Amino acid sequence: MSMIRMRRLGMPVLIAIAAALLPHFASAAPAAGQAEQASAGRQTLVHDGIERHYLLRVPADLRPDKGRVPLVLVLHGGGGNADNAETMTGFTAKASKEGFIVAYPEGSGRLKGRLLTWNAVHCCGYAMEKQVDDVGFINALIDKLTQSYPIDTGRIYATGMSNGGMMTHRLGIALSGRLAAIVPVVATVFGDEPQPAGPLSALMINGALDQNVPNAGGAPGGRGASAWDGMPARPMLDQARFWAAADACASPPQQIDQATTTQWRYTCPGGKAVELYLVKDNGHAWPGGQPGSRRGDTPSQSLNATDLIWAFFQAHPK
């Protein structure tokens, strides 16, 4: 869909697009276990003349004398927000249990705090159309958090779902010197990504039943397809091939077939890792998490993405 046509869309249509593209924008109360964690709460950061927002969760017993801790950035999907990402993934409860800081940055949009998107070059919506500098925002956010909290700069990680997963790929490319590992969930690459400056461990998680981001590549599905710019997605495995090439991994990858997943695992030098999981009974959802909205796909419960992601992050510092 052309950019001109996108600009002519009325607000009701834009809302429908966001709801269909990445159906996880309904805010909800904190998930069980989140009350156990001290919270820095909702924060603001002015970047590029724009007031940006993020939700920050800090372990209750965080003290500088106890050593530095990891930072995990969790990016919501298109049409989502920080509250939604927190509820959907359960990363706050994981951070409380494991003792790391988690930040939920928010994209941008026409409505305050709702229907927000990330500029992942070819997707999605408002952020893409306006060419919002989301890489600069996340880089500035990392600066702010590392200056304010005892964060281990060798253990800074990023993950995100769908449009947030596409943005996670972009962050990995642009900030490979700062991030130790990334995990895009139900996301894609487009084939024209620049090479990152350095190697980076990457784990991808996709759903075999995903109708929004097609595993075979091509045009996006669902009513939200028009929030893309018309560039077709590459096949699912191209995500792993991209990072395997960037990390100088050996090909072909080992393929491991199990009852509920198929895993591709590359052998990589320098302690790096590139893996991709295809969850056979998962659609466009965060496996093991909460549904993003009433109309969203029901997440598979055969794999807990948050547990898998944290284990991958723990195993791969900078």
Side-chain angles (χ1 to χ4, degrees), residues 62-84:
L62 183 70
R63 296 203 318 267
D65 63 326
K66 295 185 66 176
R68 295 188 173 272
V69 300
L71 167 66
V72 176
L73 303 167
V74 181
L75 278 61
H76 62 76
N81 58 30
D83 293 334
N84 163 250

Side-chain angles (χ1 to χ4, degrees), residues 119-155:
N119 177 17
V121 182
H122 300 295
C123 180
C124 293
Y126 178 91
M128 176 193 68
E129 180 185 352
K130 298 298 183 182
Q131 292 294 289
V132 176
D133 182 15
D134 283 324
V135 169
F137 163 52
I138 298 298
N139 195 43
L141 176 58
I142 294 173
D143 284 342
K144 180 178 180 180
L145 295 179
T146 54
Q147 291 166 9
S148 303
Y149 296 93
I151 291 170
D152 183 346
T153 56
R155 293 188 292 167

Side-chain angles (χ1 to χ4, degrees), residues 214-279:
N215 292 313
R223 291 180 298 162
S226 55
W228 299 33
D229 71 352
M231 174 71 80
R234 298 296 302 164
M236 170 192 69
L237 285 174
D238 278 18
Q239 299 174 95
R241 295 187 185 108
F242 173 84
W243 287 107
D247 293 352
C249 305
S251 292
Q254 178 186 12
Q255 182 173 330
I256 305 167
D257 288 303
Q258 297 181 326
T260 58
T261 63
T262 300
Q263 180 187 6
W264 290 265
R265 179 187 298 166
Y266 284 85
T267 300
C268 306
K272 301 304 178 187
V274 175
E275 303 177 20
L276 189 147
Y277 279 79
L278 181 64
V279 184

Side-chain angles (χ1 to χ4, degrees), residues 91-128:
F91 247 109
T92 294
K94 176 61 69 174
S96 180
K97 179 180 179 181
E98 301 290 343
F100 61 88
I101 294 173
V102 59
Y104 303 90
E106 290 191 330
S108 55
R110 292 179 175 85
L111 300 176
K112 185 176 181 180
R114 297 191 297 132
L115 304 178
L116 307 176
T117 59
W118 300 102
N119 177 17
V121 182
H122 300 295
C123 180
C124 293
Y126 178 91
M128 176 193 68

